[in-house]
Amino acid sequence: SAKAYAPLHPAIIPGGALAGRANFVVHQVVQPWHSQSTVMHEACFAVRKLAPGDFPAYLAAIFDKLMMEYTVEMTKDETRSQTAARLAQLAAETTSLKAAQVEELLAITGKGNDGCAVSQMVRWTTKYHRARGAHVTPTVFVNGIEAPQVSSKWSIEEYAALLDELEAAV
């Protein structure tokens, strides 16, 4: 969730308000009701595969541009390849990668429903999240157990209070 990531990311990096208190792991959850979601997640997987250390910057850039450039409304007249090319260009602008490197992994290859070079990553992550019951973002798990009280509108203070509660219970 872009809404959850925006306050959390600066809070969990060294020097942030929540730094060192918990491990936060970003799991990509494709939302098929958003027609552009799959290619956006494929682009993220491509960046993760090619330059894992650049993924946080790329994700932040996507979230920054999400509501202005990557909504269903904004991508409805584009082909998948056109959206993929824009996402590859964004990677070139925000990471150490060249657009062509990302485009190569996003290119549809093979026959039938083979997809692109990172399609299997989408399949695995989708299977994983379906098994866990994660269908919307954010779905937060603490020590493997869903924390349904967490909302995308939570403040850093609310996250800190949850961590305080969990630490007190140990």
Side-chain angles (χ1 to χ4, degrees):
S1 159
K3 288 179 185 176
Y5 188 82
L8 268 176
H9 184 253
I12 62 173
I13 60 175
L18 303 177
R21 294 196 60 197
N23 291 321
F24 290 86
V25 179
V26 173
H27 287 274
Q28 294 175 228
V29 180
V30 176
Q31 297 179 333
W33 49 90
H34 298 304
S35 56
Q36 77 289 12
S37 182
T38 300
V39 71
M40 291 181 74
H41 283 279
E42 288 171 341
C44 287
F45 280 126
V47 169
R48 275 185 148 170
K49 184 173 185 170
L50 294 168
D54 288 348
F55 176 70
Y58 186 64
L59 186 60
I62 282 186
F63 283 155
D64 185 51
K65 295 182 179 292
L66 182 66
M67 297 312 292
M68 297 302 294
E69 295 185 32
Y70 293 104
T71 63
V72 172
E73 179 184 15
M74 299 304 291
T75 59
K76 71 181 182 202
D77 294 324
E78 289 183 337
T79 66
R80 180 203 177 281
S81 296
Q82 289 169 323
T83 303
R86 287 197 311 123
L87 291 162
Q89 183 56 44
L90 181 61
E93 294 167 7
T94 59
T95 72
S96 61
L97 299 169
K98 295 186 181 339
Q101 292 173 278
V102 176
E103 285 186 83
E104 183 178 342
L105 293 186
L106 298 179
I108 300 295
T109 57
K111 298 177 183 175
N113 288 324
D114 287 350
C116 67
V118 292
S119 290
Q120 188 59 47
M121 296 170 85
V122 171
R123 291 179 188 108
W124 286 329
T125 194
T126 300
K127 184 176 182 177
Y128 175 75
H129 290 299
R130 284 179 179 168
R132 293 185 87 190
H135 300 287
V136 297
T137 61
T139 300
V140 174
F141 292 88
V142 177
N143 296 331
I145 299 172
E146 185 176 356
Q149 71 271 33
V150 176
S151 165
S152 61
K153 297 176 184 173
W154 266 28
S155 66
I156 294 305
E157 292 76 25
E158 288 168 298
Y159 282 104
L162 174 63
L163 292 175
D164 290 342
E165 179 185 326
L166 293 170
E167 290 168 350
V170 177

